[in-house]
């Protein structure tokens, strides 16, 4: 299992690197699709069918949005020499990556080994959840019953985003 | 443990893209790559060997289920990720219509 996940994640890293370095923006967007659909396969291997269904829909919509934006504008990526600003940005990025990697090494000693998760909080959810919530699917039970307020906040965020997109894309403002 | 390191590597690739690219569409792509690596990390945390998907079968209640809590959090995060990406692409297309370029340095020089 771990080998399969690692291989798929490696392919996702390759797709991500190609997306970042592609000359044509359209191929960059499509290479970004490799990463999203690779995640779908990982979810299926990790026994998360709900996530796989949601991710395949969301990734398709994201891809359509990005392709629409790219086709509506210039597709060439502008490469140029590394100026002072670029060098400063690259150095800052290197420092951030080293610091993050240090913290990851510290934190990884506290992680459970893959496949030996110790169900700290979820025991209360798993035992008797089907009787408490009436839902056979535990994920649905948690989303809509135990954590219903989270879901309401998510709906508020979605409505706010839709309002934001409509406001930004309104063609003519008030004169 | 290798899977965790690969997942972290994917996060680094996204971070590298955000810092070094100058094209707004590439920056949006890199942000969504960082997002995806976080989703993968949460799904990895909840996995249990020989577990089944967290759907209760009343006939056989003593199975080992994978942890449903990280899956729930990721489910919320995926949808919010879609909302932020949509808002980001709207801002990008609006900037392109005003400045006729995706390059953030040129937009910086042409301010106003």
């Amino acid at each position: 299992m771990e080998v399969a996940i690692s291989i798929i994640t490696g392919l996702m890293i390759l797709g991500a690197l190609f997306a970042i370095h592609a000359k044509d923006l359209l191929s960059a967007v499509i290479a970004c699709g490799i990463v999203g659909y690779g995640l779908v396969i990982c979810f299926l291997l990790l026994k998360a069918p709900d996530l796989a269904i949601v991710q395949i829909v969301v990734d398709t919509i994201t891809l359509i949005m990005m392709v629409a934006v790219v086709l509506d504008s210039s597709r060439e990526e502008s490469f140029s020499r590394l100026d002072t600003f670029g060098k400063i940005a690259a150095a800052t990025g290197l420092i951030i990556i080293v610091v993050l990697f240090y913290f990851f090494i510290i934190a990884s000693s506290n992680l459970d080994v893959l496949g030996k998760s110790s169900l700290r909080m979820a025991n209360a959810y798993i035992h008797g959840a089907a009787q408490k919530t009436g839902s056979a699917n535990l994920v649905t039970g948690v989303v809509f019953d135990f954590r219903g307020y989270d879901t309401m906040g998510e709906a508020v965020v979605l409505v706010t985003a839709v309002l934001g997109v409509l406001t930004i894309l309104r063609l003519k403002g008030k004169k | 443990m290798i899977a965790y390191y690969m997942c972290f590597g994917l996060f680094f690739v996204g971070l590298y893209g955000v810092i070094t690219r100058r094209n707004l569409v590439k920056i949006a792509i890199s942000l969504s790559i960082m997002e995806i690596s976080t989703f993968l990390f949460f799904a990895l945390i909840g996995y249990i060997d020989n577990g089944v998907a967290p759907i209760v079968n009343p006939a056989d209640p003593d199975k080992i289920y994978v942890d449903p809590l990280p899956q729930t959090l990721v489910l919320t995060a995926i949808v919010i990720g879609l909302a932020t990406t949509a808002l980001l692409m709207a801002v990008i297309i609006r900037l392109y219509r005003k400045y006729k370029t995706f390059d953030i340095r040129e937009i910086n020089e042409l301010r106003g």
Side-chain angles (χ1 to χ4, degrees):
Chain A
M1 175 57 66
E2 182 156 16
V3 178
I5 297 282
S6 305
I7 290 172
I8 295 172
T9 318
L11 289 177
M12 284 160 72
I13 290 177
L14 285 182
L17 281 174
F18 181 77
I20 288 173
H21 289 282
K23 284 200 177 65
D24 188 1
L25 280 184
L26 194 60
S27 35
V29 167
I30 289 169
C32 182
I34 296 176
V35 186
Y37 290 119
L39 183 66
V40 175
I41 300 173
C42 284
F43 280 159
L44 283 178
L45 288 176
L46 292 169
K47 306 284 162 53
D50 312 86
L51 295 185
I53 294 168
V54 173
Q55 173 67 28
I56 206 165
V57 173
V58 163
D59 199 62
T60 309
I61 296 175
T62 312
L63 214 59
I64 291 172
M65 278 192 313
M66 285 185 175
V67 168
V69 167
V70 167
L71 286 185
D72 204 20
S73 51
S74 79
R75 282 167 53 177
E76 280 93 40
E77 155 79 303
S78 49
F79 286 102
S80 60
R81 79 225 175 281
L82 210 59
D83 53 4
T84 322
F85 175 74
K87 279 175 191 159
I88 292 173
T92 318
L94 206 63
I95 291 172
I96 292 175
I97 284 175
V98 168
V99 171
L100 278 182
F101 194 72
Y102 174 69
F103 283 118
F104 178 72
I105 295 291
I106 292 178
S108 64
S109 62
N110 290 323
L111 278 176
D112 294 325
V113 182
L114 182 66
K116 301 272 190 298
S117 170
S118 55
L119 291 181
R120 289 184 194 87
M121 275 180 73
N123 269 327
Y125 289 150
I126 290 178
H127 292 126
Q131 285 79 36
K132 281 184 224 162
T133 63
S135 156
N137 189 335
L138 293 176
V139 175
T140 316
V142 176
V143 167
F144 286 110
D145 199 306
F146 294 114
R147 290 182 173 256
Y149 282 120
D150 278 4
T151 311
M152 195 184 74
E154 177 197 338
V156 172
V157 170
L158 270 181
V159 171
T160 317
V162 169
L163 286 179
V165 170
L166 286 180
T167 315
I168 291 168
L169 288 186
R170 191 179 50 174
L171 285 178
K172 283 176 187 163
K174 275 184 192 167
K175 289 287 164 62
Chain B
M1 226 51 200
I2 307 169
Y4 285 127
Y5 283 101
M6 296 296 268
C7 185
F8 205 60
L10 191 62
F11 184 86
F12 277 157
V13 172
L15 188 66
Y16 159 77
V18 169
I19 290 173
T20 57
R21 295 299 104 177
R22 274 77 177 272
N23 191 309
L24 279 168
V25 178
K26 289 262 175 96
I27 291 176
I29 289 174
S30 310
L31 275 176
S32 83
I33 288 169
M34 284 167 81
E35 235 169 36
I36 282 172
S37 77
T38 319
F39 300 156
L40 180 60
F41 183 69
F42 268 68
L44 284 175
I45 286 178
Y47 180 70
I48 295 177
D49 278 335
N50 302 317
V52 296
I55 297 172
V56 176
N57 182 5
D60 183 14
D62 288 331
K63 282 179 190 160
I64 305 171
Y65 298 112
V66 299
D67 196 343
L69 191 58
Q71 296 193 11
T72 311
L73 299 179
V74 173
L75 198 64
T76 310
I78 286 175
V79 178
I80 291 181
L82 174 69
T84 50
T85 310
L87 202 56
L88 197 58
M89 295 320 275
V91 171
I92 287 173
I93 196 67
R94 193 66 199 236
L95 278 174
Y96 183 81
R97 281 184 194 155
K98 187 165 169 62
Y99 295 111
K100 304 291 172 209
T101 177
F102 278 138
D103 196 319
I104 52 174
R105 283 165 309 168
E106 287 181 36
I107 292 175
N108 215 12
E109 284 158 17
L110 290 173
R111 76 182 70 183

